[in-house]
Amino acid sequence: MKKVLITGIRGQDGAYLAKLLLEEGYEVYGADRRSSDASYWRLEKLKIKDKVKIIYMDLLEDSNVAEVIREHRFDQIYNLAAQSFVHASFKQPILTSNVNSLGVLRILEAIRMFSKDTKFYQASTSELFGKVIEIPQKETTPFYPRSPYGVSKLFAHWITVNYREAYDMFNVCGILFNHESPLRSIEFVTKKVVNSVSKIKLGLLEKLEIGNIEAKRDWGYAPEYVYGMYLMMNHNVPEDFVLATGESHSVKELIEKAFSFIDMYLRWEEKDGRFIALDKNGNIRVVTDKQYYRPSEVDFLVGDYSKAKNVLGWEPKVKFDKLIEIMMTEELKELEKLRRNENTILQG
Ligand code: NAP
Ligand code: GDD
């Protein structure tokens, strides 16, 4: 049985990847930083909490990382742990760099010293392309990151490549475009939008407050992307791959799609530099707010996944429309369940 470590086990991708690897017969260890409120809701939701062996490994702690890797000598390590919220990276650039850049180097050093045969996956990102130099973006497109997050991931990307070349290690970088799911954290825009729109539908919220509605992203479905990670790790040569859908949509389109799911159609107006959207009764349902804007933005991303398709046979099936449908259906179901439970408690 192959022994695999997934860092960032409590995150969206960690949960889906753990499920996939358990199904493939791996012994799955999940690295978690200690927390006073250890909630494993994603693993519980996927019904795999009892099957994943949780160990503490904080990427900020050199000796912790080294000891875990020396003790276990995993066959494979997927490094998904990160301070992954771009907006927060402007407020916490040093923490972000320490976790996302040096954290990766800590793992690579430990592998080099104690476990040279461990295969390593690094979670690179389309944020590397930032202010894009080429459309669509592929493996050979030059990088131009636009946030402390993007820059921290640039170091991580190149140090992973460098250790592959310098020490002949099996290291791969998955350059993944945005991928979403019902397990996405609420701070990211897709989940925030589907959550707010579902609440509006249930009468729990009046309007959605949002940032830059003009930014465009290539949004895919997380379970398909973790399958791509798995294919990269099990490919015979260590190489880097882009995973994307090849479609780009604006935040505005995302909002409109989510509202159309609840049969609400919006009319946009611009007032004093802010956008508002009204429903057919003239109620304000969306309003833009500068607090959600970033000091420097990635305006447009769209990926070319043809290398992954040709070499790994990977292809996304869930595109934008289907993705929003999946997320809206699940969000409404969850909120209705919550409301039923609250009513039962109040009546009981
Ligand atoms: P996520 O949900 O934010 O999960 C990241 C995980 O990293 C969290 O569980 C977090 O722990 C953990 N973490 C943070 N700091 C840590 C530290 N010092 N030591 C150990 N663990 C730490 O992110 P995701 O969406 O699953 O993404 C997985 C990876 O892919 C990330 O590296 C992200 O940057 C990258 N990526 C994501 C996307 C995307 O669209 N989802 C696209 C490209 C690349 P807590 O739970 O305790 O906070
Ligand atoms: N989060 C958020 N909240 N984003 C908003 C909002 C808002 O209220 N309003 C507008 N946006 C815009 C952001 O400015 C950005 O242009 C876009 O929506 C997407 O933002 P996020 O969902 O936060 O994702 P991201 O693209 O910045 O980063 C995600 O994808 C990267 C891959 O490209 C994260 O998962 C990163 O970890 C990942 O590397």
Side-chain angles (χ1 to χ4, degrees):
M1 204 184 211
K2 281 202 175 130
K3 203 164 146 182
V4 61
L5 177 71
I6 302 172
T7 72
I9 192 67
R10 274 207 272 159
Q12 169 190 262
D13 290 5
Y16 284 122
L17 181 65
K19 184 168 188 294
L20 172 71
L21 296 180
L22 285 165
E23 285 163 3
E24 293 294 327
Y26 287 79
E27 184 183 5
V28 178
Y29 286 73
D32 189 15
R33 55 175 168 175
R34 206 204 70 81
S35 141
S36 59
D37 175 22
S39 155
Y40 296 101
W41 66 273
R42 292 185 176 94
L43 299 182
E44 276 155 12
K45 187 126 185 111
L46 299 182
K47 301 188 174 44
I48 54 169
K49 168 70 184 71
D50 297 338
K51 300 189 182 103
V52 177
K53 297 174 179 158
I54 301 290
I55 43 181
Y56 289 137
M57 188 175 108
D58 195 317
L59 293 201
L60 293 175
E61 196 68 55
D62 303 26
S63 60
N64 184 197
V65 172
E67 274 167 18
V68 167
I69 289 172
R70 190 176 52 189
E71 186 189 332
H72 290 277
R73 293 176 203 275
F74 300 99
D75 294 292
Q76 302 180 351
I77 298 178
Y78 288 85
N79 180 38
L80 308 185
Q83 191 304 90
S84 74
F85 187 31
V86 174
H87 199 176
S89 77
F90 288 98
K91 299 250 166 20
Q92 300 185 321
I94 294 175
L95 172 84
T96 301
S97 307
N98 204 339
V99 178
N100 296 6
S101 305
L102 293 181
V104 179
L105 185 51
R106 289 182 185 103
I107 298 177
L108 288 169
E109 271 293 86
I111 295 176
R112 184 183 69 79
M113 289 188 294
F114 308 121
S115 189
K116 200 68 191 298
D117 293 329
T118 300
K119 289 180 166 186
F120 179 72
Y121 174 92
Q122 170 55 20
S124 288
T125 163
S126 50
E127 279 289 303
L128 295 175
F129 299 121
K131 190 169 176 178
V132 299
I133 283 167
E134 185 181 25
I135 297 172
Q137 297 85 52
K138 52 181 187 281
E139 292 78 6
T140 50
T141 303
F143 298 137
Y144 191 152
R146 290 272 284 172
S147 63
Y149 169 84
V151 175
S152 72
K153 285 280 185 174
L154 184 77
F155 175 89
H157 182 88
W158 282 119
I159 201 70
T160 303
V161 172
N162 179 248
Y163 270 51
R164 174 169 75 211
E165 293 172 355
Y167 304 115
D168 198 23
M169 286 160 59
F170 191 106
N171 294 343
V172 299
C173 297
I175 308 171
L176 271 51
F177 282 65
N178 299 51
H179 45 279
E180 320 292 312
S181 75
L183 299 188
R184 194 58 150 145
S185 292
I186 194 121
E187 57 199 352
F188 299 103
V189 76
T190 53
K191 179 72 170 187
K192 177 176 171 176
V193 168
V194 299
N195 177 266
S196 296
V197 174
S198 301
K199 283 182 173 157
I200 289 170
K201 158 86 176 162
L202 298 177
L204 303 170
L205 186 77
E206 209 172 297
K207 59 177 179 291
L208 162 69
E209 291 175 11
I210 199 80
N212 179 9
I213 57 170
E214 283 158 326
K216 288 187 154 187
R217 290 291 181 277
D218 180 330
W219 280 295
Y221 186 42
E224 296 188 335
Y225 284 53
V226 301
Y227 181 58
M229 296 176 189
Y230 166 76
L231 293 177
M232 287 177 216
M233 273 294 239
N234 291 289
H235 180 50
N236 48 1
V237 230
E239 285 179 54
D240 309 324
F241 292 90
V242 159
L243 300 184
T245 70
E247 279 186 18
S248 189
H249 298 271
S250 66
V251 173
K252 186 176 176 193
E253 284 175 78
L254 161 70
I255 294 169
E256 287 172 343
K257 183 57 70 184
F259 271 100
S260 74
F261 190 84
I262 61 162
D263 289 326
M264 225 182 240
Y265 299 91
L266 303 171
R267 179 166 54 83
W268 292 89
E269 284 179 8
E270 200 183 341
K271 230 183 205 169
D272 310 324
R274 292 177 114 189
F275 291 95
I276 57 168
L278 304 109
D279 66 18
K280 69 175 188 321
N281 300 318
N283 300 308
I284 296 178
R285 294 307 189 178
V286 186
V287 57
T288 58
D289 188 329
K290 288 284 173 207
Q291 69 167 302
Y292 301 111
Y293 283 59
R294 294 159 188 193
S296 51
E297 176 66 285
V298 171
D299 297 315
F300 176 78
L301 289 175
V302 66
D304 173 354
Y305 63 89
S306 43
K307 181 181 174 191
K309 185 179 174 189
N310 296 336
V311 179
L312 305 172
W314 182 88
E315 211 168 352
K317 293 191 184 66
V318 176
K319 303 260 176 126
F320 180 70
D321 287 3
K322 182 73 188 156
L323 174 68
I324 307 309
E325 193 186 311
I326 293 172
M327 291 182 74
M328 279 300 298
T329 306
E330 188 61 21
E331 197 67 17
L332 279 165
K333 204 171 86 190
E334 282 298 311
L335 283 174
E336 273 161 0
K337 197 161 88 190
L338 234 144
R339 195 154 75 165
R340 270 199 308 277
N341 290 347
E342 275 171 11
N343 283 343
T344 316
I345 291 167
L346 285 175
Q347 283 157 17

